[in-house]
């Protein structure tokens, strides 16, 4: 499958609740990229489409070594998609499943990088709101990349979470977010604490 006569979809590399991620080749720049495509069952839902494009808009504003880069966002026919850098690595969740609990030194190294990524986002008035090991990529060189700003919101816009929308992951979200209350950057910090606990103990 070719999108906009530019991006050739090669294989599925990730499946999420609302989107599927493909490895693709950009024929214009001759490089491999990741293409995130909104699932067909959500493509006709205006709320999901708006959320999908909010993610691209949010991350495209950011430029940080610990945040996955967004290259392009477009619509080809009835397909909404985001083009991102292709990460050669595994999720922190996968790493934890292999290693169990991590050393305090390793936890500090990872948590510091996550915090730097979030600090950059918060400085641009963007709250991630879905920090969890599944949304943190670990590269082969030990560096961290935060990804999937799928429910990110600008801090000055509507930041309420509808609890019946099953948005976010219940193990990691802050109490105010779980209640459907107003969230700010402290919600991300709370989630980082939960992730650190899991890294240190091996338990969610």
């Amino acid at each position: 499958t070719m999108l906009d006569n530019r991006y050739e979809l090669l294989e599925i590399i990730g499946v999420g609740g609302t989107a599927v991620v493909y490895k693709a080749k950009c024929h214009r720049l001759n490089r491999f990229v990741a293409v995130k495509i909104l699932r067909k069952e959500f493509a006709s839902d205006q709320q999901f489409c708006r959320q999908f494009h909010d993610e691209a808009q949010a991350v495209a504003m950011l430029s940080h070594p610990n945040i996955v880069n967004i290259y392009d966002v477009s619509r080809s026919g009835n397909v909404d998609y985001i083009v991102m850098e292709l990460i050669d690595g595994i999720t922190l969740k996968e790493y934890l499943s292999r290693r169990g609990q991590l050393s305090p030194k390793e936890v500090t190294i990872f948590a510091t990088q996550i915090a730097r990524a979030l600090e950059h986002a918060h400085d641009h008035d963007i709250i991630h709101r879905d920090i969890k090991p599944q949304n943190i990529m670990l590269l082969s060189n030990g560096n961290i990349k935060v990804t999937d700003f799928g429910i990110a919101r600008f801090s000055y816009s509507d930041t309420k979470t509808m609890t019946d929308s099953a948005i976010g992951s219940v193990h990691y979200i802050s109490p105010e977010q779980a209640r459907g209350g107003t969230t700010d950057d402290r919600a991300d910090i709370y989630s980082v604490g939960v992730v650190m606990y899991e890294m240190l103990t091996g338990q969610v």
Side-chain angles (χ1 to χ4, degrees), residues 119-191:
E119 179 181 40
H120 179 72
H122 296 166
D123 285 345
H124 288 77
D125 298 316
I126 295 169
I127 308 164
H128 188 287
R129 300 204 312 159
D130 197 20
I131 292 295
K132 57 185 177 182
Q134 294 91 327
N135 286 340
I136 297 165
M137 297 297 298
L138 176 60
L139 282 64
S140 56
N141 62 5
N143 288 341
I144 285 289
K145 291 259 188 182
V146 177
T147 187
D148 205 353
F149 280 70
I151 58 173
R153 288 290 182 273
F154 297 101
S155 63
Y156 50 78
S157 67
D158 179 19
T159 54
K160 288 190 176 181
T161 301
M162 298 303 294
T163 54
D164 59 355
S165 298
I167 294 178
S169 300
V170 293
H171 296 299
Y172 303 96
I173 61 175
S174 64
E176 67 272 18
Q177 191 173 347
R179 287 193 302 264
T182 300
T183 58
D184 57 26
D185 53 4
R186 291 172 293 183
D188 284 344
I189 297 171
Y190 177 96
S191 298

Side-chain angles (χ1 to χ4, degrees), residues 12-203:
I12 294 176
I13 56 175
V15 178
T18 59
V20 179
V21 182
Y22 293 84
K23 179 180 178 180
K25 184 175 182 180
C26 174
H27 285 268
R28 188 174 301 173
L29 298 178
N30 194 31
R31 66 180 177 184
F32 292 105
V33 295
V35 175
K36 187 174 186 178
I37 297 179
L38 194 61
R39 286 174 176 270
K40 290 181 179 179
E41 57 263 40
F42 299 114
S44 60
D45 188 312
Q46 290 187 349
Q47 179 181 349
F48 276 101
C49 287
R50 184 168 59 252
Q51 177 180 315
F52 191 76
H53 285 277
D54 279 352
E55 173 184 355
Q57 183 180 12
V59 185
M61 293 176 60
L62 306 177
S63 178
H64 192 275
N66 296 123
I67 297 177
V68 172
N69 288 315
I70 292 287
Y71 297 142
D72 192 13
V73 55
S74 187
R75 181 178 178 90
S76 178
N78 61 349
V79 176
D80 290 279
Y81 68 92
I82 299 172
V83 182
M84 307 174 290
E85 72 173 301
L86 183 64
I87 302 297
D88 181 18
I90 61 174
T91 67
L92 179 58
K93 191 70 172 180
E94 292 172 311
Y95 185 69
L96 287 171
S97 68
R98 298 177 186 178
R99 292 285 308 278
Q101 60 192 93
L102 308 182
S103 69
K105 181 179 180 180
E106 197 168 21
V107 172
T108 302
I109 292 172
F110 291 167
T112 301
Q113 293 183 67
I114 297 168
R116 286 174 179 158
L118 291 174
E119 179 181 40
H120 179 72
H122 296 166
D123 285 345
H124 288 77
D125 298 316
I126 295 169
I127 308 164
H128 188 287
R129 300 204 312 159
D130 197 20
I131 292 295
K132 57 185 177 182
Q134 294 91 327
N135 286 340
I136 297 165
M137 297 297 298
L138 176 60
L139 282 64
S140 56
N141 62 5
N143 288 341
I144 285 289
K145 291 259 188 182
V146 177
T147 187
D148 205 353
F149 280 70
I151 58 173
R153 288 290 182 273
F154 297 101
S155 63
Y156 50 78
S157 67
D158 179 19
T159 54
K160 288 190 176 181
T161 301
M162 298 303 294
T163 54
D164 59 355
S165 298
I167 294 178
S169 300
V170 293
H171 296 299
Y172 303 96
I173 61 175
S174 64
E176 67 272 18
Q177 191 173 347
R179 287 193 302 264
T182 300
T183 58
D184 57 26
D185 53 4
R186 291 172 293 183
D188 284 344
I189 297 171
Y190 177 96
S191 298
V192 173
V194 179
V195 172
M196 289 178 68
Y197 179 92
E198 185 174 350
M199 288 192 285
L200 282 167
T201 67
Q203 301 292 324

